[in-house]
Amino acid sequence: MSLLVVGSVALDSVETPFGKVEDAVGGSAMYFSTSASYYTNVSLVAVIGKDFPQAPVDFLKSRNVDLNGLHTSDGDTFRWKGEYGYDLNEAVTLDTQLNVFSDFEPVLTEEYKKSDVVFLANIDPTLQLQVLDQVEDPKFVACDTMNLWINTKLDELKRVLARVDMAVINEGEARMLSGESNMVQAAQKIMELGPKFVVIKRGEYGALLFTPDDVFFAPAYPLEAVFDPTGAGDTFAGGLLGYLASQMTFNSQTMRMATVVGCVMASFCVEKFSYENLQDLDYKKIKSRFEKFQNLTSFDSLGEL
Ligand code: AMP
């Protein structure tokens, strides 16, 4: 199985009530591929500028992420500046500089074109479409997006949605895209645009999975200290798609499990700034949190109510 991701690799300046960082390593594809690399082989398509540090590139290599699709262009790396108030579920974008992404045209290698699973992480939908046009026969395609593209590139985004199996989107953006405040209705409207599966990320309130005949809810793992939610959504998607790619079955049961894996991975991300806490995970740490998660959500029925 092979998992291809296109998205941003970024330098983020983020302020939360608990601290701030400047030019920290981030980007949708950075978080996604780090998280997914704990489950499957990942190939990353993105562009960085000459100012991007070497350490995260070396880190991705150490995680066996295939970087043949990571281009270095003249110019500056994509930058995002955001802040969070005490409601850590809502990021406020203060500045977005596309920089090297403005004239990036992804060209997939022959091997990448044969990818089994494709994730179109949050990035300009025009680039998502260019990747979709090149992949030959993927078994499963999912996408994410954000308010910026809903506002500025809705037509292109709808063309993406018409061609994917799953949309992974956060609650606020699901409302914006569907025009519905109720999540069940929002998911139905989004399904009408194309995807058979819709996952709605609800920050500290977990995630909802909608399939054609089923709804599943996974809570977020209740952590004592949440430091920086940046990247939680992409880390969630990395766990979800990484797990699905490792199973290559896309039924209700694997989707439910994948949603939980997404929540487990996201819980690590938010405990520190940037992708710091995702760097030294291992099977044991992930399994231990997964078991706590299982304990959190299971109960024995005491019989008739
Ligand atoms: P999230 O998982 O939703 O918290 O995503 C956070 C990441 O999204 C940050 O690391 C940003 O670099 C990245 N990001 C923010 N705005 C954009 C954008 N317009 N296009 C691509 N990536 C973005």
Side-chain angles (χ1 to χ4, degrees):
M1 58 278 163
S2 52
L3 171 58
L4 180 78
V5 56
V6 59
S8 58
V9 174
L11 292 173
D12 292 338
S13 295
V14 181
E15 185 160 356
T16 80
F18 317 109
K20 63 184 206 177
V21 281
E22 284 217 359
D23 283 351
V25 173
S28 53
M30 181 77 209
Y31 285 108
F32 179 91
S33 50
T34 302
S35 174
S37 73
Y38 288 96
Y39 299 89
T40 191
N41 296 324
V42 187
S43 304
L44 185 155
V45 175
V47 63
I48 48 177
K50 293 239 159 71
D51 57 348
F52 194 74
Q54 186 59 33
V57 175
D58 291 341
F59 165 74
L60 289 174
K61 279 187 197 152
S62 76
R63 295 288 325 142
N64 281 328
V65 176
D66 182 329
L67 297 179
N68 283 323
L70 179 67
H71 299 272
T72 306
S73 289
D74 279 331
D76 289 334
T77 299
F78 172 88
R79 274 178 174 69
W80 178 73
K81 192 172 183 185
E83 70 178 12
Y84 300 82
Y86 280 96
D87 178 1
L88 291 170
N89 285 339
E90 203 67 55
V92 180
T93 295
L94 301 174
D95 191 27
T96 302
Q97 291 170 25
L98 291 180
N99 297 335
V100 288
F101 264 108
S102 341
D103 47 17
F104 177 57
E105 297 206 348
V107 178
L108 302 196
T109 62
E110 289 309 309
E111 201 188 332
Y112 284 17
K113 287 181 189 169
K114 296 189 173 57
S115 302
D116 297 316
V117 179
V118 177
F119 186 63
L120 309 166
N122 175 28
I123 194 68
D124 187 332
T126 312
L127 297 181
Q128 295 179 321
L129 283 171
Q130 284 174 11
V131 168
L132 271 183
D133 286 343
Q134 293 175 65
V135 283
E136 282 162 7
D137 185 25
K139 306 288 171 290
F140 197 81
V141 182
C143 76
D144 189 1
T145 194
M146 73 179 293
N147 49 11
L148 175 68
W149 311 120
I150 300 172
N151 281 329
T152 60
K153 298 238 170 154
L154 188 57
D155 286 348
E156 290 86 343
L157 179 58
K158 284 189 174 165
R159 278 165 47 210
V160 173
L161 287 164
R163 293 170 64 182
V164 301
D165 301 289
M166 174 187 267
V168 184
I169 183 167
N170 79 25
E171 184 172 26
E173 282 140 13
R175 288 207 173 96
M176 209 172 159
L177 181 61
S178 64
E180 299 287 345
S181 68
N182 174 287
M183 281 305 108
V184 178
Q185 287 175 24
Q188 273 163 6
K189 282 266 168 75
I190 296 170
M191 281 179 174
E192 284 164 17
L193 296 173
K196 207 165 140 194
F197 304 96
V198 174
V199 177
I200 297 184
K201 299 173 283 181
R202 305 188 64 225
E204 66 177 310
Y205 306 115
L208 280 162
L209 161 73
F210 294 88
T211 75
D213 38 35
D214 198 15
V215 184
F216 175 66
F217 169 68
Y221 186 76
L223 295 164
E224 238 171 79
V226 175
F227 210 61
D228 172 21
T230 309
D234 307 307
T235 306
F236 169 87
L240 187 145
L241 270 300
Y243 179 78
L244 285 180
S246 75
Q247 302 297 308
M248 287 308 286
T249 5
F250 305 97
N251 58 30
S252 248
Q253 224 179 343
T254 49
M255 294 275 171
R256 283 177 174 231
M257 176 75 178
T259 305
V260 171
V261 172
C263 290
V264 168
M265 295 308 287
S267 75
F268 289 111
C269 174
V270 301
E271 287 178 303
K272 291 198 179 149
F273 269 116
S274 187
Y275 73 124
E276 205 183 322
N277 212 32
L278 298 173
Q279 289 180 44
D280 60 351
L281 291 180
D282 54 34
Y283 179 70
K284 211 170 137 210
K285 285 185 195 164
I286 296 172
K287 187 160 177 273
S288 155
R289 187 152 294 176
F290 178 80
E291 283 167 0
K292 285 186 187 146
F293 200 95
Q294 247 181 332
N295 193 39
L296 169 79
T297 51
S298 71
F299 62 94
D300 293 326
S301 167
L302 296 178
E304 295 285 313
L305 280 179

